[in-house]
């Protein structure tokens, strides 16, 4: 279910599409579901979000008007026409669900041969969720939403997670009986539990050992809290795999990022997208890398920005206040400080002096960016600008303060900024003349 607008997010973006550690909120739920192997995988969405969610092997069902969770599930009926197996129902705002927890729920449902099985949990702190009401023998009697609960029912600590498994035939029959007889005037999916029990069909529960996993997101505060949990899970996985993360709470790593054993990540580092950090590399502190490859034993940072398409080969260095974009930095090559290198290829064992800038964006409208090629074992000076398209040959030297506009042959010295002119006594003479006047 991903049709709600999420008004408590105070945003023009639908709740389920908010970014969360490298994915959209709903993508975390979809990925957990995919690992359980559902066929088909149906997403109930609003008319506003249907185009954004289309594709990626999903079957879309549109809930034309938000009339409650029961109506949302009913919107999927056409997409599941003829299906007679188990229907796993998930809320698209529960990013902390894991494949293991969902598989446990499905297995418990099948073992109990139940008409429905509800995933329940007991939170550390009170939450405004539906209460699991049981009879004296401990059997599920109903799920009562907090707004409709009595004071005695609100004292119940076992909560509904809005995650279920239903027998398909039992689900459609129960949905047909729903009525909006509640505080919000909506069709509650939870009312199907009472209907199934009243019809004499068994309803089971499966309790989550992790009190955080089933929690949904309704506010930006909860979104940030979920991000912290996901961050910790990701960082723990990398550390158990052999990478060093010096301060896990100050390090944010997207789920697709790869860290090889013996990679080291220092605090206040953000690794995003498909970034790869190879064995023995050291990254940080204060580094942002997006869709970059950081080679073996490479050094990055502090205060460095690697933009998409950047490749640092083995032993390369990108130092303080360096920005690299769509560039390959050769083995053992150093870009130590205060430089921007974009759309460039730099050979092995080259040194880029401080303040090196590739000038690759032309002023003429419609003209494509140029590319800069710098060879092996090149030594550039301080404050060099390289105006692309440009090629500098192996073993070349570039003089300090030079703007390089033409190709430089291998083994050449190029540049030669204007020579310094010194006028001795100029300032003192000027002050004397002013005093005489």
């Amino acid at each position: 279910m991903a049709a709600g607008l999420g008004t408590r997010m105070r945003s023009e973006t639908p709740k389920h599409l908010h970014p969360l550690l490298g994915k959209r909120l709903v993508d975390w739920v979809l990925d957990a579901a995919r690992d359980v192997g559902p066929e088909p995988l149906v997403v109930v969405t609003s008319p506003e979000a249907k185009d954004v969610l289309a594709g990626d092997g999903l079957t879309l069902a549109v809930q034309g008007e938000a009339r409650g969770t029961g109506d949302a599930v009913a919107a999927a009926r056409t997409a599941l026409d003829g299906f007679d197996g188990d229907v796993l129902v998930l809320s698209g705002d529960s990013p902390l669900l894991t494949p293991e927890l969902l598989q446990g729920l499905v297995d418990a449902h099948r073992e109990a041969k139940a008409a429905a099985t509800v995933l329940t949990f007991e939170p550390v702190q009170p939450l405004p969720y539906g209460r699991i009401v049981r009879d004296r023998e401990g059997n599920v009697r109903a799920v009562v939403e907090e707004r409709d609960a009595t004071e005695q029912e609100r004292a119940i600590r076992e909560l509904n997670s809005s995650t279920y498994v239903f027998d398909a035939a039992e689900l459609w029959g129960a949905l047909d009986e729903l009525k909006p007889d509640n505080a919000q005037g909506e069709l509650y999916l939870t009312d199907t539990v009472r209907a199934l029990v009243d019809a004499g069909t068994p309803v089971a529960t499966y309790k989550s050992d992790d009190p955080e996993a089933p929690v949904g997101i309704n506010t930006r505060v909860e979104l940030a809290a979920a991000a912290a949990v996901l961050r910790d899970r990701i960082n723990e996985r990398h550390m158990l795999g052999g990478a060093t993360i010096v301060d896990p709470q100050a390090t944010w790593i997207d789920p697709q990022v790869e860290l090889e054993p013996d990679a080291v990540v220092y605090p206040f580092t953000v690794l995003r997208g498909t970034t790869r950090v190879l064995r023995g590399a050291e990254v940080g502190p204060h580094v942002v890398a997006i869709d970059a490859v950081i080679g073996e034993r490479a050094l990055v940072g502090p205060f460095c920005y690697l933009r998409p398409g950047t490749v640092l080969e083995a032993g390369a260095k990108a130092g303080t206040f360096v920005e690299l974009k769509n560039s390959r930095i050769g083995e053992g090559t150093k870009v130590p400080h205060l430089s921007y290198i974009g759309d460039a290829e730099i050979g092995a064992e080259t040194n880029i002096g401080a303040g090196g800038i590739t000038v690759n964006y032309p002023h003429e409208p419609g003209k494509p960016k140029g590319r800069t090629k710098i060879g092996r074992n090149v030594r550039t000076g301080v404050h060099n600008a390289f105006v692309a398209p440009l090629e500098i040959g192996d073993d070349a030297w570039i003089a300090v303060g030079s703007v390089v506009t033409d190709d430089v042959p291998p083994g050449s010295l190029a540049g030669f900024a204007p020579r310094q002119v010194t006028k001795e006594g100029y300032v003192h003479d000027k002050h004397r003349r002013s005093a005489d006047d």
Side-chain angles (χ1 to χ4, degrees):
M1 298 181 290
L5 297 178
T7 55
R8 280 179 283 177
M9 298 291 281
R10 300 287 192 268
S11 174
E12 295 181 0
T13 301
K15 175 175 67 172
H16 302 91
L17 303 182
H18 272 260
L20 176 60
L21 203 58
K23 301 181 186 180
R24 299 171 303 187
L25 174 57
V26 69
D27 291 330
W28 288 94
V29 183
L30 291 171
D31 287 346
R34 283 190 180 96
D35 284 350
V36 182
E39 182 59 41
L41 181 52
V42 180
V43 177
V44 179
T45 182
S46 65
E48 295 81 6
K50 65 178 182 178
D51 294 335
V52 180
L53 287 170
D56 202 18
L58 302 175
T59 300
L60 294 187
V62 178
Q63 183 185 17
E65 181 183 352
R67 298 175 58 235
T69 52
D71 183 64
V73 174
R77 191 167 188 169
T78 300
L80 293 173
D81 185 40
F83 181 79
D84 61 357
D86 296 322
V87 179
L88 176 63
V89 178
L90 306 175
S91 178
D93 63 1
S94 302
L96 303 183
L97 291 172
T98 65
E100 296 77 15
L101 181 58
L102 296 182
Q103 188 63 60
L105 171 65
V106 172
D107 292 344
H109 171 76
R110 291 171 177 170
E111 183 178 347
K113 296 181 172 58
T117 302
V118 184
L119 178 65
T120 70
F121 70 110
E122 290 189 15
V124 177
Q125 297 180 342
L127 292 172
Y129 286 29
R131 277 27 178 211
I132 305 298
V133 178
R134 298 180 181 272
D135 60 23
R136 292 182 179 179
E137 286 73 37
N139 300 312
V140 176
R141 184 72 189 88
V143 177
V144 180
E145 298 292 349
E146 183 175 62
R147 291 188 181 187
D148 303 300
T150 65
E151 186 173 342
Q152 184 179 5
E153 288 168 339
R154 288 178 183 172
I156 297 172
R157 296 192 65 244
E158 186 182 15
L159 305 185
N160 172 36
S161 68
S162 297
T163 299
Y164 316 81
V165 183
F166 290 93
D167 174 88
E170 299 285 1
L171 172 62
W172 306 132
L175 288 175
D176 287 339
E177 301 299 320
L178 291 183
K179 293 180 173 55
D181 299 333
N182 50 67
Q184 291 183 283
E186 295 182 346
L187 300 177
Y188 287 166
L189 182 61
T190 51
D191 286 345
T192 61
V193 172
R194 187 189 297 272
L196 291 170
V197 171
D198 289 346
T201 53
V203 173
T205 59
Y206 181 74
K207 190 173 182 180
S208 172
D209 292 332
D210 181 354
E212 291 182 320
V215 175
I217 305 301
N218 290 301
T219 68
R220 293 179 192 260
V221 174
E222 294 168 346
L223 187 71
V229 173
L230 294 169
R231 175 203 62 203
D232 292 345
R233 288 181 185 176
I234 292 168
N235 290 348
E236 179 179 314
R237 171 169 57 85
H238 286 303
M239 290 186 288
L240 292 175
T244 293
I245 300 177
V246 175
D247 185 351
Q249 290 188 323
T251 304
W252 293 83
I253 301 176
D254 281 2
Q256 296 90 351
V257 169
E258 297 180 30
L259 298 185
E260 289 191 352
D262 293 325
V264 179
V265 182
Y266 291 100
F268 308 109
T269 291
V270 179
L271 304 178
R272 296 175 53 192
T274 57
T275 294
R276 297 176 59 212
V277 183
L278 277 58
R279 189 179 300 269
E282 297 186 17
V283 182
H286 294 282
V287 166
V288 175
I290 306 172
D291 299 332
V293 177
I294 300 169
E296 293 186 4
R297 306 180 312 283
L299 302 176
V300 181
F303 298 101
C304 184
Y305 184 19
L306 304 184
R307 292 167 59 187
T310 296
V311 177
L312 293 174
E313 295 187 358
K317 178 179 181 179
T320 307
F321 302 118
V322 167
E323 180 178 346
L324 305 178
K325 187 265 295 184
N326 192 29
S327 297
R328 178 175 289 272
I329 310 301
E331 185 172 353
T333 286
K334 297 177 176 59
V335 187
H337 34 222
L338 300 163
S339 295
Y340 167 74
I341 304 296
D343 299 286
E345 298 175 23
I346 304 178
E349 303 300 334
T350 285
N351 188 81
I352 303 297
I357 304 293
T358 55
V359 184
N360 50 22
Y361 198 85
H363 292 295
E364 296 89 342
K367 189 173 181 180
K369 288 184 178 181
R371 194 155 183 88
T372 300
K373 295 184 179 180
I374 299 176
R376 299 172 57 90
N377 196 37
V378 172
R379 299 293 180 264
T380 75
V382 174
H383 294 304
N384 285 163
F386 308 99
V387 182
L390 181 70
E391 184 167 355
I392 298 174
D394 296 345
D395 302 309
W397 290 2
I398 307 299
V400 171
S402 300
V403 176
V404 184
T405 57
D406 300 317
D407 291 350
V408 179
S412 301
L413 172 62
F416 304 106
R419 302 291 298 177
Q420 175 179 322
V421 175
T422 302
K423 297 183 178 181
E424 286 193 46
Y426 174 84
V427 176
H428 290 165
D429 291 343
K430 185 176 178 65
H431 287 168
R432 286 193 203 96
R433 288 194 295 270
S434 296
D436 292 341
D437 292 342

